[in-house]
């Protein structure tokens, strides 16, 4: 199973890194908090999956240590989003809704593919693959919310607020995923100490 997991996390890392570039460029172009948050999350997902590839052969305790570190990495997009949202509060210009919605739709395809590739491995190698799966799953939900923000901005309320609110919600979701991964990694570490 480790060989197929290795191929899956490699493909997930490549897809995430490629879409990071696309989404980050669009986020900067249209000034979107939610796309910025999600693009940073793509970069974080690529990093997490590359770390998983490296750590697959490690002991349970060492994987648990890395899992605790990954929990910290999952917080990075949340902090970056808070900073971007703060800047947007000062200049509340709404992002262009069409590129916002189309970019989020493309992100859904990438994230759904990644979540499906990782779903069968989410309990393999403990907190590491759980981190990758939770991240991909959360990203699909975030992308649906970004599409909703684009539609609200286009047809209901031409304001920066839908984008800001969704960006902040993505930050909260990332923080919760970090908590779940840290809890799983701490449990693994304790189990690894008992077995030694």
């Amino acid at each position: 199973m480790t060989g197929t997991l290795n191929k899956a996390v490699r493909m997930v890392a490549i897809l995430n890194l490629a879409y990071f570039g696309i989404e980050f460029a669009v986020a900067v172009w249209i000034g979107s908090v939610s796309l910025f948050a999600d693009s940073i999350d793509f970069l974080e997902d690529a990093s997490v999956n590359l770390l998983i590839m490296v750590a697959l052969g490690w002991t349970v305790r060492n994987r648990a240590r890395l899992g605790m570190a990954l929990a910290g990495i999952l917080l990075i997009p949340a902090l970056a989003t808070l900073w971007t949202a703060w800047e947007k509060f000062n200049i509340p210009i709404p992002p262009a809704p069409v590129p916002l919605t189309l970019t989020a739709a493309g992100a859904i395809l990438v994230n759904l593919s990644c979540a499906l590739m990782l779903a069968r491995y989410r309990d393999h190698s403990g907190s590491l693959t759980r981190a990758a799966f939770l991240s991909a799953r959360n990203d699909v939900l975030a992308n649906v919310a970004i599409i909703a923000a684009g539609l609200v901005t286009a047809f209901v309320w031409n304001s920066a607020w839908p984008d800001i609110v969704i960006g902040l919600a993505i930050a909260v979701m990332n923080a919760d995923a970090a908590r779940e991964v840290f809890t799983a990694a701490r449990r693994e570490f304790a189990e690894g100490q008992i077995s030694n």
Side-chain angles (χ1 to χ4, degrees):
M1 184 176 245
T2 302
T4 55
L5 173 58
N6 203 334
K7 287 178 186 171
V9 294
R10 184 183 318 124
M11 180 56 70
V12 168
I14 290 167
L15 286 171
N16 276 285
L17 194 56
Y19 210 76
F20 157 74
I22 294 167
E23 199 169 45
F24 184 80
V26 175
V28 170
W29 172 46
I30 66 172
S32 169
V33 174
S34 59
L35 281 185
F36 175 79
D38 200 50
S39 73
I40 299 300
D41 197 53
F42 269 110
L43 184 60
E44 170 260 322
D45 289 349
S47 303
V48 165
N49 283 281
L50 289 172
L51 287 171
I52 289 169
M53 282 175 50
V54 170
L56 280 176
W58 292 2
T59 65
V60 171
R61 284 177 60 191
N62 286 335
R63 284 197 315 260
R65 283 186 184 111
L66 182 58
M68 287 184 234
L70 289 178
I73 291 171
L74 285 169
L75 287 174
I76 293 170
L79 297 173
T81 302
L82 290 175
W83 177 255
T84 307
W86 176 253
E87 290 181 334
K88 194 71 167 184
F89 286 136
N90 297 321
I91 308 171
I93 300 169
V98 173
L100 176 69
T101 305
L102 292 177
T103 306
I108 282 181
L109 295 176
V110 172
N111 285 318
L112 192 55
S113 300
C114 292
L116 291 173
M117 280 188 263
L118 294 170
R120 64 185 276 207
Y121 305 108
R122 68 179 172 260
D123 295 320
H124 182 73
S125 296
S127 60
L128 296 180
T129 49
R130 184 161 186 77
F133 170 74
L134 284 173
S135 202
R137 181 206 65 188
N138 288 352
D139 292 345
V140 172
L141 299 174
N143 297 141
V144 170
I146 293 169
I147 289 173
L151 294 174
V152 167
T153 303
F155 299 110
V156 179
W157 185 26
N158 188 23
S159 167
W161 284 105
D163 181 58
I164 292 170
V165 168
I166 296 303
L168 293 174
I170 292 170
V172 169
M173 203 163 41
N174 284 331
D176 186 58
R179 181 195 56 78
E180 281 190 54
V181 171
F182 185 81
T183 302
R186 196 170 56 183
R187 186 172 53 247
E188 274 181 288
F189 188 78
E191 290 167 2
Q193 284 186 314
I194 291 168
S195 64
N196 285 342

